Amino acid sequence: MIRLENLSKIYGSRENPIVALHDVNLTIQTGEFIALYGRSGSGKSTLLNLLSGIDRPTSGKIFVHAAEVTAMDENRLTLYRRDTIGFVFQFFNLLPTLTVLENVLLPGQLNKHSASKLRERGLHLLAQLGIADRHQAWPDQLSGGQQQRVAIARALINDPQLLLADEPTGNLDSETGLHILEILKSLSANHDKTILLATHSLDAAQFTDRVFQVKDGALVAQTNKAGK
Amino acid sequence: MLRLLRLFNLRHLRRKRLETLLCLLGIALGVAVMVGIDLANQNALRSFRRTVDAVTGRATHQILGGPAGIPDSLAATIISGSEVQATPLLEYVASARFHATIQDTATKMILHLLAIDPLTDADFRDYSIAANATARSGSTAMSTGLRFLLQPGAALVDEDFAAAHHLKIDDTLKVLIGARWREIYIAGLIPKQTLSQSGLDNLALVDITTGQEIFGRVGYVDRIDVIASETAARTLAAQLPASLHLEAPARRSQRVNDMLRSFRLNLMALSFLAVFVGMFLIYNTMMFAVMQRRKQIGILRCLGVTPRQIILNTLLEAFGLGVIGSLLGLGLGVVLADYVTRTVTTTISDLYVFLKVSSVTLNSGILTKFFLIGLLTTLLASAVPIIEASKVPAAVAVRRSALEFRAQKFAPRFAFAGICFLVIAIVLALNSIQGGEVFGGFFFGLAAALAVALGAIFLTPLLTLVLVRFTGVIMNKLAGMIGVLAARNIQTALSRTAVAIAALMLSLSMVLGMGLMIASFRGSLNDWVKSVLQADIYLQPTDAATAKWEALFPPEFIQFLEQQPEIDAIDLYGATAFTYRGQPIYLIAISAVVVKDRLDFIFTQGNDQENWQHLIAGEVFLSDGFARRFHKAVGDTVVLSTLHGPRVFRTAAIFVDYSFEQGQVMMDHRTYTENWGASRITNIGVFLKPQIDFRRYAVDLRRALAGRFAVQVIPNRDLRERVFKVFDQSFAITQVMQILAGVVAFIGIISAVMSLLVERTRELGILRAVGMGFGQLHQMVLIESGLMGALAACIAVPAGTALALVMIYVINLHTFNWTINFQINFGAYVQIWWMALAAALLAAIYPMSRLKKISIAAAIREE
């Protein structure tokens, strides 16, 4: 279970504050597929960044499976990101110096998992995502959709409980984007992954179990699958 | 334009203070090295030339004799018989001690003794007029003047010198002439105004009779100074006997110049190398400074700034940096020059001719020259990357991958150019070896070394790609994905990494090349020392102030030695500065009968016993340096000017020698005496009877000589140590180059690693986002930096070895006349590896500390 308590993030100076998130409270159950829907600059990405520990809140607390993320030091945060979180970015963020398979294996290797088992798992994930045949290719030799699938495989390599996807279809054509959303949905439904999807597309948000609208740094509305 | 400069360029410099500082430091160091070595090169001989000019005074010509000088009677005939003004002269630079504190080494002074004829010298030198005038004015002064003229041992001493050492009139000074302390007393002072005008200092004037007495030259003068028109001089020259010759005073400076030519060529080569390193350093730092802004340039292009505006703006910025950096470099260079001048002066004094350590005199010509070189190099260095960046289409300029792709594509073409340079190096080296001319050979050698360096530089990108691919596999095994990432980062950022690796490689190659050359030289010298230094004890006059090989043993000392029952045999060794075909050489007289069975000369050919028999019979040996310099072989003849006119000597053998780079003609004492008068004994080798303990005898001999002769008693092992001490001293200046190479390496790597980290901020953010800890990031940066160091060292191994071969078989052989056998020295190879790794790992510390400042959220947002 994930719990956000009175979470706020303010950038800028005291004289000229820019409120990115204001007093956000949210509880997410394990295995849920949640959408954070809102315009660009509304605070969705900030919320994902705080949740993943790559940014720190100005105030408030974050609990992920009883662990308080906001109380972790830098080392514990690194391990938390490595073991508990999988991150999928809008611009894929694959490392151009590594091959497809090496990109996928990287978080696992940072964890010093057994090399052979890791490789097996990496290839299995790539096969599940339909790009096993490109495992030796370089990122710039792949299409956008393929790169995003590699990014998803990388996010899953350490078998994290929580998958954060920041506009994963924002840089893809609609057909490819649809395919990526189906993959995420399947991960949630079949593999019990908790997924938070940040998107500005209502169509994308419709794929999830619950949709939270984010506006000016606050969660202003919630709809469920039935649109209620 | 200026607005763009202020907004874009200056603001960038202000925000990137460390990078700006590194860039300025790079330019400053480059300029400093060039200025330091060139100023030292110019300054080294300045004091010597000033002294020669001041002593020469108004003389237009000088009459010189052979090694023994000009007999008094002959001098008197010439002076009285000729229609020109002429005056005799003796000259000696001696250590002096105040009588009361003779044992106190702290009061050691150097005195330039000039023995003149007061009656005729006034027309030649202003200070001798002043000395006489001072002496003759007033009643006390009058008596001083008379004492100066009439009393033996009287001297007029430089007023400043006397004041500096608290000496007063009537004080007695001891001066060390050869192996004997002689006394002079201060009869009067030479006014300092006169001397400061002449440029001379530490001067003492004595009457010529006193000079002959204390210099041990009774019956001879060194030379006759002459004031004559060209026509009168020609007439005079025609009338001189065969043993004498007339020459312009400038020839004396020229002779020293000739003698030091190879040494100065070496300094010039170092200066040239410094220019090369300096330019590379400036290029390296400026390139990083400009390349860092490639992205901003792309954005400016997108916003409508023209390529011309970008070029001019950045060149304007480079101009500013060049001016500041070059000015800083001039300041640093002057500081460096002080150290280098001291080193150079000490080396010249040890090896060639006594020079006083002089302070650095600033030369506006040199300063302007290197200021302009620094500025132009900065402009050129920034022009290359900025023109390239401005040519890239706007959209592409933002993406660095395009540049890296091009860099990798160009690597094979660069490699081809590198191979061409290596071929050129081989052709130049062969040409130099076959040409044999010293001057041309040196420059061909230097060009060959430059071609080797350029070849290695141009091969670096391709070798980096190949080696990184190979090391990537090893790194994967050793450090997993972190190692792979580090290796790939070097590969994919080739446009930066190759330049940094090339800069480091060049520095390391120079260090290795010099290290191998010095080690090989040391090894060859060691073999030679073992073969020729075999006497139990060596003796030489204590006098260290005078010109090399001018301090002589008096005959009574030889007689003293011959009476010692412990001594089995004595090798009397006499070195005399001489000229052959107008070039400085040395005539060496030895006791052939004594040494033929005791020393193992390394002859190039022939039977040892037969060679010695020929020498004893009146033929000569030539050193290998002489033979090479003047193209002589065994059986050839050399014509030497003797007391009896030119005489032909047959070459009995050629031997390996490391004592005189100018080359030497060696003969038996009998041959020398027949042709040049009494032998001048400069060193003595003592062979003891078998049962005598040389250590104990050395102590006894020192005790027996104390108070009678100022002679250094040096046991064999000590002399060998001294030989290597002098050897090490003469290569001390190369340490400066090694330190500079280390600095270049450090700056090159730190710039590269910093730039790579700045450019890869997003990638680093991704790595942090996917769970890479700081420890792992640090590990990656360390491996990356260490790998760059290791790659540079890998390439430096063959490049440095090739440079050493060029230095040994081309430059040293033809410029210094030293035959060096190349020897592999593992220490030199180990040294560059630790230098490379230390520089690379140290350079990683600062960039690693900056990693914590990276905001992951900001980094991964960037696109």
Side-chain angles (χ1 to χ4, degrees), chain B residues 621-773:
Chain B
F621 289 166
L622 303 182
S623 66
D624 52 348
F626 183 98
R628 208 165 25 245
R629 197 171 165 200
F630 298 105
H631 308 289
K632 296 288 179 191
V634 173
D636 286 354
T637 55
V638 285
V639 180
L640 301 173
S641 168
T642 71
L643 283 177
H644 322 293
R647 204 191 133 183
V648 178
F649 295 87
R650 185 183 173 275
T651 305
I654 292 167
F655 64 101
V656 174
D657 174 58
Y658 291 93
S659 47
F660 297 94
E661 71 186 61
Q662 294 84 0
Q664 54 166 294
V665 177
M666 184 178 272
M667 61 198 69
D668 187 39
H669 278 295
R670 194 170 56 84
T671 313
Y672 182 93
T673 312
E674 279 171 11
N675 293 285
W676 291 278
S679 282
R680 306 164 74 256
I681 308 302
T682 52
N683 297 67
I684 296 173
V686 173
F687 297 89
L688 296 173
K689 287 182 177 158
Q691 69 276 18
I692 306 296
D693 179 87
F694 72 93
R695 280 191 202 83
R696 181 174 295 173
Y697 183 71
V699 174
D700 292 344
L701 189 57
R702 279 190 201 111
R703 200 173 293 141
L705 296 176
R708 298 174 66 188
F709 298 101
V711 171
Q712 293 184 66
V713 178
I714 313 164
N716 184 303
R717 185 191 290 179
D718 293 0
L719 185 68
R720 290 184 187 196
E721 280 173 12
R722 274 194 204 191
V723 168
F724 286 105
K725 202 174 154 193
V726 171
F727 175 84
D728 292 338
Q729 168 71 42
S730 54
F731 283 104
I733 196 164
T734 57
Q735 285 170 358
V736 180
M737 294 307 292
Q738 295 197 354
I739 292 167
L740 286 169
V743 173
V744 171
F746 183 75
I747 292 182
I749 291 283
I750 201 169
S751 306
V753 175
M754 280 295 295
S755 303
L756 289 179
L757 291 187
V758 168
E759 285 163 353
R760 287 208 326 260
T761 305
R762 183 161 160 262
E763 285 174 34
L764 295 171
I766 298 167
L767 288 170
R768 294 281 292 127
V770 300
M772 187 180 266

Side-chain angles (χ1 to χ4, degrees), chain B residues 581-597:
Chain B
R581 293 185 191 163
Q583 298 296 314
I585 62 154
Y586 279 88
L587 289 187
I588 306 297
I590 56 165
S591 312
V593 178
V594 174
V595 298
K596 72 182 176 71
D597 297 321

Side-chain angles (χ1 to χ4, degrees), chain A residues 49 54-55 74 78 81-82 89 91 93-99 102 105-107 109-111 138 154, chain B residues 480-482 484-485 488-489 492 762-763 766-774 776 856-857 860-861 863:
Chain A
N49 287 346
I54 63 175
D55 208 349
E74 200 53 52
T78 300
R81 276 197 298 275
R82 197 187 295 169
F89 306 93
F91 294 108
N93 280 346
L94 298 177
L95 293 169
T97 50
L98 299 183
T99 63
E102 285 168 344
L105 301 184
L106 178 64
Q109 291 199 327
L110 296 174
N111 245 350
W138 298 96
R154 180 177 68 184
Chain B
M481 195 53 76
I482 291 169
V484 174
L485 266 172
R488 298 258 177 87
N489 288 337
T492 48
R762 183 161 160 262
E763 285 174 34
I766 298 167
L767 288 170
R768 294 281 292 127
V770 300
M772 187 180 266
F774 279 122
Q776 289 165 317
I856 306 172
I860 56 176
R861 241 193 343 257
E863 177 65 10

Side-chain angles (χ1 to χ4, degrees), chain B residues 410-650:
Chain B
F410 275 109
R413 295 185 200 177
F414 277 129
F416 178 72
I419 291 168
C420 290
F421 274 118
L422 292 182
V423 172
I424 291 170
I426 294 169
V427 172
L428 286 169
L430 289 176
N431 189 301
S432 172
I433 291 167
Q434 284 161 5
E437 287 303 318
V438 175
F439 192 72
F442 173 73
F443 284 102
F444 273 120
L446 206 60
L450 182 67
V452 167
L454 285 172
I457 288 170
F458 278 91
L459 276 165
T460 298
L462 189 68
L463 288 173
T464 301
L465 287 178
V466 172
L467 289 170
V468 157
R469 223 158 272 171
F470 173 69
T471 47
V473 179
I474 301 170
M475 283 296 122
N476 192 12
K477 293 242 185 295
L478 292 176
M481 195 53 76
I482 291 169
V484 174
L485 266 172
R488 298 258 177 87
N489 288 337
I490 293 172
Q491 187 181 340
T492 48
L494 193 69
S495 73
R496 280 108 171 100
T497 51
V499 175
I501 292 170
L504 179 55
M505 178 279 300
L506 185 66
S507 307
L508 296 173
S509 303
M510 278 163 41
V511 172
L512 178 63
M514 282 189 189
L516 286 175
M517 187 269 285
I518 293 170
S520 301
F521 202 161
R522 226 171 191 282
S524 305
L525 185 65
N526 193 36
D527 295 340
W528 174 79
V529 161
K530 279 183 195 162
S531 69
V532 298
L533 295 186
Q534 294 199 15
D536 298 306
I537 289 172
Y538 285 90
L539 307 174
Q540 67 180 56
T542 305
D543 192 351
T546 189
K548 196 112 178 114
W549 311 111
E550 286 300 316
L552 305 179
F553 283 103
E556 55 268 34
F557 180 78
I558 314 290
Q559 288 161 13
F560 166 83
L561 272 190
E562 283 167 351
Q563 290 161 6
Q564 301 302 306
E566 296 89 346
I567 295 176
D568 183 37
I570 302 167
D571 173 26
L572 302 174
Y573 180 94
T576 304
F578 203 73
T579 54
Y580 177 73
R581 293 185 191 163
Q583 298 296 314
I585 62 154
Y586 279 88
L587 289 187
I588 306 297
I590 56 165
S591 312
V593 178
V594 174
V595 298
K596 72 182 176 71
D597 297 321
R598 291 183 169 86
L599 306 185
D600 297 322
F601 269 51
I602 306 169
F603 293 110
T604 56
Q605 65 184 87
N607 175 283
D608 285 13
Q609 282 305 318
E610 285 175 11
N611 289 341
W612 284 111
Q613 288 309 323
H614 289 304
L615 190 83
I616 291 165
E619 294 185 3
V620 294
F621 289 166
L622 303 182
S623 66
D624 52 348
F626 183 98
R628 208 165 25 245
R629 197 171 165 200
F630 298 105
H631 308 289
K632 296 288 179 191
V634 173
D636 286 354
T637 55
V638 285
V639 180
L640 301 173
S641 168
T642 71
L643 283 177
H644 322 293
R647 204 191 133 183
V648 178
F649 295 87
R650 185 183 173 275

Side-chain angles (χ1 to χ4, degrees), chain B residues 242-563:
Chain B
S243 59
L244 304 185
H245 67 279
L246 187 81
E247 66 178 31
R251 268 300 295 159
R252 190 163 167 229
S253 288
Q254 188 55 46
R255 262 202 305 280
V256 173
N257 232 3
D258 289 346
M259 188 166 69
L260 294 178
R261 187 177 63 171
S262 50
F263 183 80
R264 297 184 68 216
L265 276 177
N266 185 37
L267 270 186
M268 202 175 82
L270 272 180
S271 170
F272 187 74
L273 216 56
V275 172
F276 195 59
V277 169
M279 288 177 81
F280 209 86
L281 191 59
I282 294 172
Y283 174 79
N284 197 23
T285 46
M286 270 316 290
M287 204 200 70
F288 282 129
V290 174
M291 297 296 261
Q292 253 187 357
R293 272 172 285 173
R294 203 176 153 79
K295 185 177 170 184
Q296 287 95 315
I297 291 167
I299 293 167
L300 286 177
R301 293 282 325 273
C302 291
L303 295 174
V305 178
T306 64
R308 191 168 164 271
Q309 282 174 312
I310 287 170
I311 292 173
L312 287 177
N313 238 331
T314 313
L315 284 180
L316 215 55
E317 177 197 326
F319 182 84
L321 286 172
V323 168
I324 299 171
S326 300
L327 284 175
L328 278 173
L330 294 185
L332 276 174
V334 171
V335 177
L336 184 69
D338 190 56
Y339 168 77
V340 180
T341 303
R342 278 166 201 283
T343 312
V344 166
T345 311
T346 311
T347 305
I348 293 178
S349 293
D350 278 345
L351 298 178
Y352 305 97
V353 60
F354 175 75
L355 291 184
K356 270 197 315 177
V357 176
S358 57
S359 58
V360 173
T361 304
L362 297 185
N363 178 320
S364 58
I366 291 179
L367 296 182
T368 311
K369 180 173 78 179
F370 287 112
F371 174 79
L372 290 176
I373 287 180
L375 188 58
L376 283 174
T377 311
T378 310
L379 290 174
L380 274 176
S382 26
V384 176
I386 198 69
I387 289 171
E388 200 230 35
S390 68
K391 276 183 181 169
V392 177
V396 182
V398 184
R399 290 206 315 268
R400 226 199 64 215
S401 54
L403 174 72
E404 298 310 345
F405 174 72
R406 282 180 13 179
Q408 293 192 30
K409 201 176 78 177
F410 275 109
R413 295 185 200 177
F414 277 129
F416 178 72
I419 291 168
C420 290
F421 274 118
L422 292 182
V423 172
I424 291 170
I426 294 169
V427 172
L428 286 169
L430 289 176
N431 189 301
S432 172
I433 291 167
Q434 284 161 5
E437 287 303 318
V438 175
F439 192 72
F442 173 73
F443 284 102
F444 273 120
L446 206 60
L450 182 67
V452 167
L454 285 172
I457 288 170
F458 278 91
L459 276 165
T460 298
L462 189 68
L463 288 173
T464 301
L465 287 178
V466 172
L467 289 170
V468 157
R469 223 158 272 171
F470 173 69
T471 47
V473 179
I474 301 170
M475 283 296 122
N476 192 12
K477 293 242 185 295
L478 292 176
M481 195 53 76
I482 291 169
V484 174
L485 266 172
R488 298 258 177 87
N489 288 337
I490 293 172
Q491 187 181 340
T492 48
L494 193 69
S495 73
R496 280 108 171 100
T497 51
V499 175
I501 292 170
L504 179 55
M505 178 279 300
L506 185 66
S507 307
L508 296 173
S509 303
M510 278 163 41
V511 172
L512 178 63
M514 282 189 189
L516 286 175
M517 187 269 285
I518 293 170
S520 301
F521 202 161
R522 226 171 191 282
S524 305
L525 185 65
N526 193 36
D527 295 340
W528 174 79
V529 161
K530 279 183 195 162
S531 69
V532 298
L533 295 186
Q534 294 199 15
D536 298 306
I537 289 172
Y538 285 90
L539 307 174
Q540 67 180 56
T542 305
D543 192 351
T546 189
K548 196 112 178 114
W549 311 111
E550 286 300 316
L552 305 179
F553 283 103
E556 55 268 34
F557 180 78
I558 314 290
Q559 288 161 13
F560 166 83
L561 272 190
E562 283 167 351
Q563 290 161 6

